[in-house]
Amino acid sequence: MSEDKKTNHTLEVLLEQDKNQIPQKDDVVLGKVISASKSEVRLDIDGVFIGIVRGLELYFEAEEFANLKPGDEVEATVIDEENERGELELSFKRAGQEKAWSKLEQAFKDKEIIKVRVTEANKGGLLVRYYQIGGFLPVSQLSPENYPRVSGGDKTKILEKLKSFIGQDIEVNVINLGQDSDKIIFSEKDVWNKRQKHIIDKYKIGMVVDGKISAVTNFGVFISFGEGMEGLIHISELAWQRIDSPEKLYQVGDSIKAEIVNLDNNKIFLSAKKIIEDPWKKAVEKYKVGDIVKGQILKINPFGLFVKLDEEIHGLAHITQLGINIKEKINSFFNVGDELDFEILSISPSDHRLGLKLYKEDKKKTKKKEEKEEKKDEKKSEKKDKKEKQED
């Protein structure tokens, strides 16, 4: 090969190498910061090219891009090979998103705790962002201390509580990772469970705890106790008698004792009535089948009346035992608070049940009784008159 041909071949190779080294669109390049401000960052790429990052592409939310200074090395993505000034147009945003997504995948795989920022709230939970990646933190995945327990389940108040988290950073685990933001699910509860596990392990079923009521709902009360622990006393476990509205009997801050009845996946369920003697055990001593007792109507249902015999023993008078037609409206005949006489039909202490029947005296017997009383009164009156005449 002649010298001229060799020279031409060498030049072609060098030109091809230079061409391959020119950054292309979507390439990630490493550059050294020349200057940095809030409006733009200029980078030196390999001492050959100048790149600029500006506008929305600055992506200052990521820590590594927020406080750059001359001499720092940083990665950026090429979005234009040549702008109006003949420079590379670069983006921290795209490079940052790729890094954030990589970190998110690693956190999901390793069950690593990360921080997300709350941006919005709806009735289902919190909209959050991990850098520029959006996701969702459902209400059910909030920690016990942040769970919006609102009396009566008022959705407006629940939303108000959730909105109070906007702008806050929350530590979470990634529990579902999809490409779409509505498929990226985070959990604060998982983080809480991990941190509390060594404490929860100290508690066993049957243990009695002292606590304070932290929330009152229509289905029971939550109590806080021990080292940041919290458990639920279901409405059916608050007392031996029937309770319709815990809000009427309990307030946040009230002291209460309860027994642990179940531990389920770091959830603690308690019972206040278990540490109180069951009044139904003595019900058979106090009440007998056939007794006529005075009872106060507590609640009216289509199928009958709930009746209070005393503070601890309540019974049911089925609609068929009220002397009215089953098709008639029970509310037309009875009112809550009415005191009436009932006959005890059955007592089952083990099932905490007592059956009642509205008591109505036999009209014939009542009439005979009244006639008998009238005759007694007449005889007394006759004797009195006779005595007065004799004295005269």
Side-chain angles (χ1 to χ4, degrees):
M1 184 182 289
S2 67
E3 289 298 322
D4 289 340
K5 285 184 178 180
K6 283 183 180 180
T7 301
N8 288 336
H9 177 70
T10 303
L11 287 171
E12 285 176 7
V13 171
L14 291 172
L15 286 170
E16 187 64 29
Q17 287 177 345
D18 285 342
K19 183 179 179 182
N20 291 337
Q21 289 175 358
I22 296 173
Q24 305 295 306
K25 187 177 180 182
D26 295 329
D27 282 354
V28 176
V29 296
L30 180 66
K32 187 173 289 186
V33 177
I34 300 171
S35 63
S37 69
K38 290 184 178 180
S39 58
E40 66 176 35
V41 175
R42 295 172 67 78
L43 300 178
D44 174 9
I45 314 296
D46 298 328
V48 178
F49 305 98
I50 299 295
I52 184 169
V53 187
R54 52 188 174 179
L56 295 174
E57 304 304 325
L58 282 167
Y59 189 54
F60 280 125
E61 281 187 49
E63 292 178 10
E64 61 189 286
F65 303 126
N67 300 299
L68 293 173
K69 57 185 182 298
D72 288 346
E73 286 193 338
V74 66
E75 288 185 339
T77 303
V78 178
I79 56 175
D80 195 342
E81 295 160 21
E82 187 176 2
N83 64 15
E84 73 278 3
R85 292 188 286 192
E87 301 169 327
L88 291 171
E89 194 76 24
L90 305 173
S91 170
F92 288 153
K93 185 176 181 180
R94 294 189 190 181
Q97 280 182 314
E98 289 173 11
K99 282 193 172 185
W101 185 259
S102 178
K103 288 180 180 178
L104 203 58
E105 288 180 321
Q106 197 65 39
F108 179 56
K109 180 182 177 182
D110 298 339
K111 297 183 180 179
E112 178 189 344
I113 296 171
I114 59 173
K115 280 186 179 181
V116 294
R117 177 157 293 183
V118 181
T119 57
E120 292 180 55
N122 58 41
K123 291 176 181 178
L126 303 173
L127 302 179
V128 299
R129 300 199 80 80
Y130 178 69
Y131 295 110
Q132 289 293 328
I133 300 172
F136 190 59
L137 176 55
V139 171
S140 62
Q141 293 302 322
L142 287 170
S143 67
E145 57 192 13
N146 286 332
Y147 190 88
R149 298 185 189 93
V150 176
S151 179
D154 188 317
K155 292 183 179 179
T156 302
K157 290 183 179 178
I158 290 174
L159 184 56
E160 286 176 9
K161 169 70 174 175
L162 293 174
K163 283 183 176 179
S164 70
F165 295 114
I166 292 175
Q168 292 185 26
D169 291 331
I170 297 179
E171 289 188 321
V172 297
N173 280 135
V174 187
I175 58 173
N176 190 69
L177 190 60
Q179 291 296 327
D180 301 323
S181 61
D182 61 345
K183 292 179 181 177
I184 302 174
I185 308 298
F186 299 101
S187 172
E188 183 191 28
K189 186 171 68 174
D190 269 16
V191 175
W192 185 89
N193 285 341
K194 287 173 187 174
R195 288 175 175 167
Q196 294 295 108
K197 190 177 186 309
H198 70 287
I199 300 174
I200 293 174
D201 287 344
K202 296 177 184 178
Y203 294 92
K204 306 296 179 186
I205 292 174
M207 288 179 66
V208 175
V209 299
D210 282 291
K212 288 189 179 295
I213 294 176
S214 54
V216 182
T217 71
N218 57 350
F219 56 83
V221 302
F222 288 88
I223 71 167
S224 57
F225 60 93
E227 304 171 58
M229 301 305 300
E230 188 173 57
L232 170 67
I233 306 177
H234 190 266
I235 186 171
S236 61
E237 293 296 328
L238 284 169
W240 290 107
Q241 68 270 30
R242 179 185 175 84
I243 293 177
D244 290 316
S245 301
E247 298 97 329
K248 294 180 180 179
L249 301 173
Y250 302 92
Q251 291 184 337
V252 172
D254 287 351
S255 296
I256 191 169
K257 278 189 176 184
E259 181 180 320
I260 297 173
V261 293
N262 192 19
L263 293 164
D264 179 21
N265 192 27
N266 293 332
K267 292 178 182 177
I268 300 177
F269 299 93
L270 307 117
S271 171
K273 74 181 186 182
K274 288 270 281 187
I275 58 175
I276 304 169
E277 186 180 3
D278 185 355
W280 283 87
K281 290 180 180 178
K282 294 183 179 180
V284 288
E285 298 174 13
K286 192 173 183 180
Y287 300 106
K288 305 291 182 186
V289 173
D291 284 356
I292 307 301
V293 293
K294 185 76 73 178
Q296 184 182 45
I297 297 174
L298 289 178
K299 189 174 183 180
I300 301 172
N301 277 334
F303 57 82
L305 306 174
F306 285 101
V307 180
K308 180 174 81 171
L309 301 190
D310 58 45
E311 290 302 322
E312 297 174 322
I313 305 298
H314 300 168
L316 172 67
H318 193 268
I319 189 169
T320 56
Q321 302 297 333
L322 297 176
I324 62 173
N325 191 307
I326 199 166
K327 292 182 180 180
E328 293 179 303
K329 291 184 178 179
I330 193 170
N331 288 307
S332 302
F333 298 88
F334 304 96
N335 297 298
V336 171
D338 285 353
E339 287 194 353
L340 301 168
D341 289 326
F342 294 90
E343 180 184 346
I344 297 176
L345 296 179
S346 61
I347 304 176
S348 179
S350 59
D351 297 324
H352 299 125
R353 291 180 182 176
L354 188 147
L356 298 166
K357 176 182 180 181
L358 185 64
Y359 178 69
K360 291 182 179 179
E361 287 187 307
D362 187 295
K363 289 183 179 180
K364 291 182 179 179
K365 288 182 180 179
T366 303
K367 190 174 182 181
K368 286 182 180 180
K369 187 178 178 181
E370 289 174 351
E371 289 174 352
K372 192 174 182 180
E373 290 296 327
E374 285 178 3
K375 286 181 179 179
K376 282 183 180 180
D377 290 339
E378 286 177 3
K379 285 182 179 180
K380 284 181 181 180
S381 181
E382 287 176 2
K383 285 181 180 181
K384 187 178 179 181
D385 290 342
K386 188 176 182 181
K387 187 177 180 181
E388 286 176 353
K389 285 180 180 180
Q390 287 176 346
E391 289 176 355
D392 290 342

